[in-house]
Structure formats: structure tokens, C-alpha cells
Amino acid sequence: MKALVLHGDYDIRVEDRPVPSPGPSDVVVAVIATGICGSDFHGYSGENGRRPPGQIMGHETVGRIQSVGSAVTGLDVGQLVTINPMMVCGSCDVCLAGRGQWCGRRVVLGVTPEPPAAFADLVAVPATNIVVLPESMPAELGALVEPMAVGYHAVRRGGIAADDRVLVIGGGPIGQACLMAARREGVTAVAVSDISPSRRALCARLGANVIDPIESDLATATAEALGGPATLVVDAVGISRTLEDAFAASGLGARIVLVGMGAPRVELPAYAVSTEERTLVGSFTYTAEEFAATAAWVGTVPEGIEALIDGRVGWDGAPKSFDDLARGRTSASKILVFPQGPPATEAGS
């Protein structure tokens, strides 16, 4: 089979790799499409130090079951599925409490070096990580379930309520997911701040008030857009400057969720946390329940979700897409890699 193999910084190649065989409790999925995540192309560039040479990445994926292990029940060959990348022990206290994302033995498909992940023709995973999708949906949207689940978990970590005034800092794929999650939770007052005109335009199409933080004072613009300071801020960038902006644009008692990982270390205005009683929380992945609920929601094809995919390539275009994203040469937010080639009507998009 073909797979996209990382060889080092700015070096990724399509190569032949062994065909995976399912263990007794595993499923082999024939990949339809896998999304290039920001963590993938930052791994490609070496910026985040979290992707070693030899790794096959890819965790935002959709496909059809090709084969099942001897002990697998309830799943059939040919079903349209997505994969929850969070592989956990299932038996520790946090797993039993439904918080598997905190499992000390977790393995995140496509993030950890093993097992080989979804930038491949085929990928083998435990059957417990398979989530079946409705046949009525456009299959490629299944590759959006994982990032949408990240956004959903982030707003829930912030204790979102329908009457919140929500500011999302960063209008890239995760910021878009947070915006859609806020709307999914019934919030109407949502603003997104981003320096990119194309990302602001897309977020406006998704129903957000959009702010250019270069042209506007973010605190003033947020209050004008939302009718007051933000009560919940989701930082989908994750650097010192954006955290500073989050505090400046929010009011006393606000909650700030850090889901972006733009820098390994950040500075915090400590007095703004303590004296103004703000809450700062981290967010990384999602619970299994949140992932499954998000898959069901994506299966309904929510308004605007199809606009989130703005690039489609086959194996021949995958290395260049990684390089373009890593070097900032493209305005695309979400590029999907199709092992069998992109849909004919979308070829070249």
C-alpha cells in the first residue's frame, strides 16, 4: 500500500508500506480522505518536535471498513466510518469515568509514532475506536469529525452557556470548529479575531462577527461586536500575545480556554487572573462521548460545514500541500488527502 512517510524536517514522501492485518479486536479501514492538521504540518517542519522521522501521521480521517478481526462484532465490511484517534486502556479510573482523554496510557493515532496512522491507503485500529457514520452524508465530511470534536470539547471546557458572549482568537480550522461548536450550543453572540482576510471571510459566512486585530483595538472591537466584553474566550492560537489579547477583551470573571498550541511556553498577566477572578483552562482532545456526539452532528450536515474543506489532493499533491501549509504559501484552511485521488468534480481545487 501507499503511505505518506515523514523523513525529517520539510521532507515527506509517498512510499510503499506493508499492508496492515487486523488483530482479533481490530478493524482495517480503507481510507477515503484524511485532513492535514496544523499539528501535522508543524511536525513536518520540525517546529513542534512531536513527529519523528519514519512516522506515518494522520488523525482526521474517514473511510470504509475493509476487514474486521475475529473477535469484532457489530461492525460490517463496507460501512462508512471515522476513527476516534484517542486509544486508551479502558480500565483505569478516568477511563471508567468517561474521561479517557486523561488516561495515563493513552496513545493518540497520528500524534504518537506508533501505530502507523491515516495518511495511508489502509489503517488498522481497535474496533472500539470506530464510529459509524450515516450513508446519507457526503463521505469526505467524516474527516472533519475530529477537529469539530476538538472545538466542541474546548467550548464545553469553558462551561459555555447560550447567553455567553464568545470570542474566538484565531480563525483557522480549530477556531472555525470552536465557532461552530458555540453556535451548536445555542450561542448567538460570537466574534472571531484573525489577521487573515480569507479566514475572516469564511468565519463571517459561518455566522461570526469578525475582527481584524491589526486594524482594530481588539478589546474595543469585541465589546462593540458582542455588546460587552467577552465572557468566554477560546484562544485557538496559543502564544503570549493572543493570551494577552484574551485577557484584554474579556471581563471580570471571564473564562479563557487555551486550545491553541502555538508556543510551548507563554507569559500570563497573573494579576488579571487573580484580582479579576478569571479562569484559565486547558483543552486538548475530547471524551469518547463528545467524539461520538460530534460524529452524529456532522452526519446531519450542519449549515456551512462543507465550506470548511477548501483543498483536495491525491498522493501526488500531498507533499506539496504539506510544504505550502508549513511555509504559509496557501490560504487554504483544511486540505484533505485522498489516497485514490480527489473527487473528479473537485480535482484541482
Side-chain angles (χ1 to χ4, degrees):
M1 71 168 188
K2 298 294 184 184
L4 200 57
V5 183
L6 183 66
H7 280 263
D9 295 354
Y10 293 97
D11 185 359
I12 199 166
R13 309 171 199 171
V14 179
E15 298 180 349
D16 290 318
R17 281 293 185 266
V19 172
S21 299
S25 300
D26 293 340
V27 168
V28 173
V29 174
V31 174
I32 293 173
T34 299
I36 303 177
C37 174
S39 65
D40 293 329
F41 66 77
H42 288 309
Y44 161 81
S45 69
E47 290 176 65
N48 62 17
R50 299 173 66 211
R51 305 289 195 276
Q55 181 171 356
I56 298 172
M57 301 183 286
H59 58 277
E60 303 176 357
T61 196
V62 63
R64 291 191 180 276
I65 295 177
Q66 184 181 77
S67 60
V68 299
S70 58
V72 175
T73 60
L75 294 172
D76 298 313
V77 171
Q79 284 181 299
L80 183 67
V81 299
T82 187
I83 298 170
N84 181 343
M86 187 66 56
M87 296 182 285
V88 301
C89 76
S91 59
C92 67
D93 289 346
V94 293
C95 283
L96 294 174
R99 298 291 179 184
Q101 78 276 17
W102 297 343
C103 178
R105 288 179 279 177
R106 73 183 183 190
V107 173
V108 186
L109 183 74
V111 175
T112 49
E114 295 290 339
F119 284 122
D121 289 331
L122 302 166
V123 59
V125 297
T128 51
N129 289 78
I130 293 292
V131 178
V132 178
L133 298 170
E135 291 290 338
S136 58
M137 67 182 284
E140 67 177 19
L141 295 185
L144 297 179
V145 172
E146 197 279 339
M148 290 295 108
V150 171
Y152 183 50
H153 181 68
V155 301
R156 294 188 75 189
R157 287 280 290 161
I160 194 166
D163 60 354
D164 267 318
R165 297 188 297 270
V166 177
L167 171 65
V168 178
I169 299 179
I174 296 303
Q176 294 159 20
C178 294
L179 159 60
M180 294 199 72
R183 300 299 299 271
R184 176 180 167 189
E185 291 294 282
V187 177
T188 57
V190 186
V192 176
S193 168
D194 199 284
I195 62 175
S196 164
S198 62
R199 288 182 170 180
R200 290 198 305 273
L202 176 54
C203 290
R205 288 171 59 191
L206 297 173
N209 297 286
V210 293
I211 299 169
D212 181 347
I214 295 177
E215 295 295 328
S216 306
D217 175 75
L218 184 58
T220 301
T222 298
E224 290 176 350
L226 301 180
T231 57
L232 172 63
V233 182
V234 183
D235 183 351
V237 179
I239 60 176
S240 294
R241 173 58 190 271
T242 54
L243 271 178
E244 180 182 338
D245 287 344
F247 282 93
S250 60
L252 276 67
R255 296 96 67 207
I256 297 170
V257 179
L258 179 60
V259 65
M261 294 187 288
R265 301 182 69 87
V266 294
E267 293 184 358
L268 290 175
Y271 287 177
V273 176
S274 57
T275 65
E276 297 177 7
E277 295 195 342
R278 290 181 174 91
T279 302
L280 176 65
V281 298
S283 184
F284 178 46
T285 53
Y286 29 72
T287 67
E289 180 277 330
E290 289 168 336
F291 189 92
T294 299
W297 174 75
V298 171
T300 68
V301 192
E303 183 180 359
I305 195 168
E306 292 172 291
L308 300 184
I309 301 171
D310 51 6
R312 298 167 179 84
V313 297
W315 283 139
D316 57 346
K320 184 178 185 301
S321 293
F322 266 81
D323 204 61
D324 287 345
L325 288 164
R327 298 181 191 275
R329 289 194 302 246
T330 177
S331 61
S333 286
K334 181 58 61 182
I335 298 175
L336 301 189
V337 177
F338 291 78
Q340 304 307 314
T345 57
E346 302 291 352
S349 65

